[in-house]
Amino acid sequence: MSRVQKHPPPQLHISLTIGYSECMPAITREYASLNLAVDIVILTIRHGDLHVLLVKRGKPPFHGQLALPGGFVRDGESLDAAALRELKEETGLDGRRLHLEQLHAYGDPRRDPRSRIVSVAYLTIAPDLPMPVAGTDATEAHWTVVETVLAPRRARLAFDHSKILNDALERARERLEYTTVATRFCVEPFTIADLRHVYEAVWGASLDPGNFSRKVTRTEGFVVPTGALRPAETGRPAALFRRGTAANLYPPMLRTAVAGRDKG
Amino acid sequence: MSRVQKHPPPQLHISLTIGYSECMPAITREYASLNLAVDIVILTIRHGDLHVLLVKRGKPPFHGQLALPGGFVRDGESLDAAALRELKEETGLDGRRLHLEQLHAYGDPRRDPRSRIVSVAYLTIAPDLPMPVAGTDATEAHWTVVETVLAPRRARLAFDHSKILNDALERARERLEYTTVATRFCVEPFTIADLRHVYEAVWGASLDPGNFSRKVTRTEGFVVPTGALRPAETGRPAALFRRGTAANLYPPMLRTAVAGRDKG
DNA sequence: GGAATAGTGTCTGTGAGACAGTATAGG
DNA sequence: CCTATACTGTCTCACAGACACTATTCC
């Protein structure tokens, strides 16, 4: 069958829902009437470390715990539009100019203790910009070092957000292998070293500067030279680049061979 | 904010919903109360061609048109569980023994003309087995050659299922590059030529038999020899293999270099 | 033997990685 | 001079692709 309704029409299960408190979901309905949310994993690089934007919850459940920013999908609003709106509300940034991709839908019926809420997670890659991070509501938003959040002794995130964050990280690491999105972490113009620091922060590994430089500059459409130089604090000035037009890397920059090496 | 309800609690928008017919969704609610469906792209290879399982819709909308199998997520049922259940209902197969992965969530508010239905699509890879394909309801299910479905002159699938199918195909092609899922198309034991036909059908390109054989047998954990041979209709008998334990291919088998070549 | 498929040998080109060497800045 | 960073040269190894060649079967 394909979306063919065999049993009660929508109105019926609604009437069954009435009378249940939000803490005690009905279990006799066949079709779930539920709320749909988007949660956004916003990654950026600050001071050489990968950061994620987290908010401190102001009410139960998980009161006072850290969580991913997000909110409900509104009526008549597409999933992508909801993600763009939440991104705007949380960071003030225009998501159309950032990398924003759907990550995964999370639908465990008990992932939210209040009621059934299915969440579609998005991954956003942002450059290190002076973001307002003006929580439109009273919640505080903070950039947090990803490594700290995922440390075993650290308190876990609210809901299943630790899993979402882990999935987002794995996706980001993979994207850096096969696409040019790493440039989306950089403020233009950027140096090859800036771009290398992105790979090192996301992969948690150190890369050979010489080989990396050759690889990046020789891959068509990855970066385009501006001709200008950036005077370094120390050492030879570095050439400046902008993002190229290519979306995918061929051949890819596989991290498998790099895995295991430590960063630093 | 993170799933914090600023406005009406769940009960309230439910009362607003009552009185609306399913064909006229409310537009004044801030949060969407909606139905959640799963649609499944079940791929298999029959007679050397990539097939997808499609059903003919028995009622409007899109009456009589082809669509992906799917159905509503039930109350208390996870997304994965719903996909497994639908798969079982449509094919009689146990999805736990097949490759089943979430593909993407489709949430355009107008993707279903009746009411707002968000669908989470799944990709399944199945070997060419004698499947009952017993539609538990009256819908007919048919294996259809993918190439035929996507041909420009062909009638498009119902809803946004053409897009879902295209996304699933792209995902499957990519999976064959980086993972060992191609073996999931094969009935064990299988020959290297069987596996090569999988790649050729999914990629729509022909591969060099010698190089492919070497690549597959030398990649650790891709396939394991059974020691037995399969007598061929003509030619030298081929060695038989089973699936190995590796999930990922390193180095991957990139199709980019192959792209453009025609399947012969 | 001929035809067909299975599988190996071998050559070439490309690219990754290691690492030496050169370039250009400040101190 | 030194140091630090940027970048290039070069060597080696691994692998993809092309394709010749051998192996094994049925006719």
Side-chain angles (χ1 to χ4, degrees):
Chain A
M1 57 172 264
S2 175
R3 206 174 285 115
V4 177
Q5 297 168 12
K6 296 184 290 188
H7 290 288
Q11 291 87 344
L12 184 50
H13 74 245
I14 286 169
S15 66
L16 286 169
T17 309
I18 288 184
Y20 284 93
S21 86
E22 77 170 290
C23 296
M24 182 181 166
I27 56 170
T28 52
R29 286 177 278 131
E30 179 169 13
Y31 303 137
S33 175
L34 43 76
N35 282 104
L36 189 67
V38 292
D39 288 312
I40 313 187
V41 180
I42 310 171
L43 299 179
T44 197
I45 306 225
R46 314 184 81 198
H47 321 303
D49 289 314
L50 185 65
H51 284 64
V52 60
L53 189 74
L54 297 176
V55 298
K56 184 165 274 183
R57 288 182 54 77
K59 56 173 70 172
F62 301 101
H63 185 278
Q65 268 184 263
L66 292 173
L68 294 171
F72 288 104
V73 177
R74 295 185 182 166
D75 205 45
E77 183 180 56
S78 74
L79 304 178
D80 290 359
L84 281 169
R85 177 177 51 75
E86 288 293 336
L87 184 63
K88 180 82 178 181
E89 290 178 7
E90 298 290 345
T91 67
L93 286 177
D94 182 357
R96 291 170 297 186
R97 315 191 75 188
L98 305 178
H99 177 79
L100 178 69
E101 69 173 77
Q102 189 186 305
L103 181 63
H104 196 83
Y106 296 85
D108 185 318
R110 282 174 304 192
R111 60 181 295 280
D112 190 310
R114 293 166 296 182
S115 66
R116 173 139 202 198
I117 297 176
V118 169
S119 177
V120 179
Y122 278 78
L123 168 63
T124 294
I125 288 173
D128 184 10
L129 289 174
M131 299 187 207
V133 183
T136 52
D137 41 12
T139 56
E140 323 160 39
H142 299 284
W143 288 112
T144 316
V145 178
V146 168
E147 208 175 309
T148 310
V149 180
L150 297 178
R153 295 181 52 90
R154 181 79 185 195
R156 298 181 66 77
L157 300 181
F159 306 104
D160 52 0
H161 290 191
S162 289
K163 170 157 180 51
I164 295 177
L165 177 56
N166 269 306
D167 292 350
L169 280 177
E170 181 51 35
R171 176 74 67 95
R173 292 187 180 120
E174 184 194 300
R175 283 286 184 256
L176 260 54
E177 292 186 287
Y178 305 113
T179 75
T180 60
V181 284
T183 58
R184 297 284 162 181
F185 278 107
C186 298
V187 181
E188 288 183 314
F190 53 85
T191 69
I192 300 296
D194 291 337
L195 191 59
R196 179 163 48 83
H197 294 325
V198 169
Y199 277 87
E200 292 179 330
V202 175
W203 285 353
S206 63
L207 301 173
D208 183 279
N211 291 334
F212 183 85
S213 176
R214 191 176 13 237
K215 169 75 185 174
V216 167
T217 51
R218 292 205 186 160
T219 299
E220 186 121 3
F222 197 174
V223 297
V224 288
T226 64
L229 298 179
R230 172 183 296 170
E233 299 172 14
T234 171
R236 173 178 165 183
L240 288 168
F241 295 84
R242 295 189 183 279
R243 291 185 265 276
T245 52
N248 296 307
L249 292 180
Y250 186 81
M253 287 218 294
L254 302 178
R255 76 194 134 121
T256 318
V258 161
R261 256 203 289 172
D262 216 348
K263 177 185 156 190
Chain B
M1 57 170 267
S2 176
R3 204 175 287 115
V4 177
Q5 297 168 8
K6 296 184 288 189
H7 290 289
Q11 291 87 344
L12 185 50
H13 74 247
I14 285 168
S15 66
L16 287 170
T17 308
I18 287 183
Y20 284 93
S21 86
E22 78 171 290
C23 297
M24 181 179 164
I27 56 169
T28 53
R29 286 177 277 130
E30 179 168 14
Y31 303 137
S33 176
L34 44 77
N35 281 104
L36 190 67
V38 291
D39 287 312
I40 314 188
V41 180
I42 311 170
L43 299 179
T44 198
I45 307 229
R46 315 184 80 198
H47 322 301
D49 289 316
L50 186 64
H51 284 62
V52 60
L53 190 74
L54 296 176
V55 298
K56 184 165 274 183
R57 289 183 54 79
K59 57 173 69 173
F62 301 101
H63 186 279
Q65 268 185 263
L66 292 172
L68 295 171
F72 287 104
V73 177
R74 295 183 183 168
D75 204 46
E77 184 180 54
S78 73
L79 304 178
D80 290 0
L84 282 168
R85 176 177 52 74
E86 290 292 337
L87 184 63
K88 180 82 177 182
E89 289 177 10
E90 299 290 346
T91 67
L93 286 177
D94 182 358
R96 291 170 298 187
R97 315 192 76 188
L98 304 179
H99 177 80
L100 178 71
E101 70 173 77
Q102 188 186 305
L103 180 62
H104 197 83
Y106 296 85
D108 185 319
R110 284 174 302 194
R111 60 181 294 281
D112 190 310
R114 294 167 296 182
S115 66
R116 173 142 201 195
I117 298 177
V118 170
S119 177
V120 179
Y122 278 78
L123 168 64
T124 295
I125 288 173
D128 184 9
L129 289 173
M131 299 185 205
V133 184
T136 52
D137 41 13
T139 56
E140 324 159 39
H142 300 284
W143 288 113
T144 315
V145 178
V146 168
E147 209 174 310
T148 310
V149 180
L150 297 177
R153 294 181 52 88
R154 180 82 184 193
R156 296 180 66 78
L157 300 181
F159 305 104
D160 53 359
H161 289 190
S162 289
K163 169 157 180 50
I164 296 177
L165 177 56
N166 269 306
D167 291 350
L169 280 177
E170 182 51 33
R171 176 76 67 96
R173 292 187 181 121
E174 184 195 301
R175 284 285 184 256
L176 260 54
E177 293 185 288
Y178 305 113
T179 74
T180 60
V181 283
T183 59
R184 297 283 162 181
F185 278 107
C186 298
V187 181
E188 289 184 315
F190 52 85
T191 69
I192 299 296
D194 292 337
L195 191 59
R196 179 164 48 84
H197 294 325
V198 170
Y199 275 87
E200 292 178 330
V202 175
W203 286 353
S206 64
L207 302 173
D208 182 279
N211 291 335
F212 183 85
S213 176
R214 192 178 10 237
K215 169 74 186 175
V216 167
T217 52
R218 292 204 185 160
T219 299
E220 186 120 4
F222 198 174
V223 297
V224 287
T226 65
L229 298 178
R230 173 183 297 169
E233 298 171 16
T234 171
R236 173 178 166 183
L240 288 167
F241 295 83
R242 294 187 184 281
R243 290 186 266 275
T245 52
N248 297 307
L249 291 181
Y250 186 81
M253 287 217 295
L254 301 179
R255 76 195 133 121
T256 316
V258 161
R261 257 202 290 173
D262 216 349
K263 179 184 159 190

